Amino acid sequence: MSKTLSFKTYSAKPAEVERKWYVVDAEGQVLGRMATEIARVLRGKHKPQFTPHIDTGDFIVVTNAAKVGLSGKKVEYKSYFHHSHYPGGVKIDHIKDLLKKKPEKVIEHAVWGMLPHNNLGRQLFKKLKVYAGTDHPHAAQCPAELKVN
């Protein structure tokens, strides 16, 4: 008679997930390295009860988005391409101009590219709050500081 091992795979339920709030200061941070850490926490991969099809992540508040850095010469050469699917509908936004006009969009675009592109990803993306300055309206949630290398 052989003994068989029996293990049960844990799957987190949406009601039993505890969410925390974290604040990230983007001043002096490299955009890509910061975005990967933010996407990891938004997805919930830092928790032991991570379940791929359930939102187990936490909320992230990013401040000082206007002071984020880019490595190399990306400030001069990087651009975002978009086409409206109409003739002549090409739109090219240079990152140098976006950092001046809408610095929040730069961080949001970087994080969105690292999340799943489905209903779960859209749900995760709503938990990201980005602000150009140091002030944010989420002080009541008592966010803890998240260290990003």
Side-chain angles (χ1 to χ4, degrees):
M1 185 153 101
S2 66
K3 293 184 177 181
T4 59
L5 295 176
S6 152
F7 295 104
K8 295 206 176 204
T9 302
Y10 175 77
S11 184
K13 315 286 185 295
E16 63 188 29
V17 176
E18 287 187 31
R19 302 206 195 299
K20 294 182 182 175
W21 283 74
Y22 293 103
V23 64
V24 176
D25 187 11
E27 185 173 5
Q29 299 288 336
V30 178
L31 176 65
R33 293 177 186 271
M34 181 182 67
T36 55
E37 187 65 24
I38 290 172
R40 188 176 76 86
V41 174
L42 281 174
R43 186 94 197 268
K45 288 195 164 192
H46 64 293
K47 295 181 176 181
Q49 66 264 25
F50 170 70
T51 307
H53 62 282
I54 301 292
D55 177 11
T56 57
D58 296 323
F59 289 86
I60 300 283
V61 178
V62 180
T63 59
N64 287 327
K67 298 178 183 175
V68 72
L70 288 106
S71 60
K73 296 184 178 181
K74 290 189 186 95
V75 175
E76 295 142 20
Y77 296 113
K78 184 171 176 67
S79 60
Y80 297 114
F81 176 86
H82 176 71
H83 199 289
S84 66
H85 301 291
Y86 285 98
V90 173
K91 299 198 187 317
I92 297 176
D93 295 324
H94 297 282
I95 200 161
K96 186 182 354 178
D97 301 331
L98 273 179
L99 282 172
K100 291 177 186 172
K101 294 178 187 173
K102 299 177 189 173
E104 303 92 3
K105 293 288 180 191
V106 174
I107 294 176
E108 288 174 356
H109 189 276
V111 173
W112 170 249
M114 298 177 186
L115 294 175
H117 301 296
N118 54 22
N119 291 342
L120 178 63
R122 288 186 287 276
Q123 183 180 352
L124 296 171
F125 189 70
K126 290 178 185 175
K127 296 188 302 183
L128 175 66
K129 318 292 183 189
V130 185
Y131 300 99
T134 57
D135 299 330
H136 62 85
H138 306 288
Q141 283 76 22
C142 301
E145 187 172 346
L146 181 67
K147 292 290 184 185
V148 181
N149 1 347

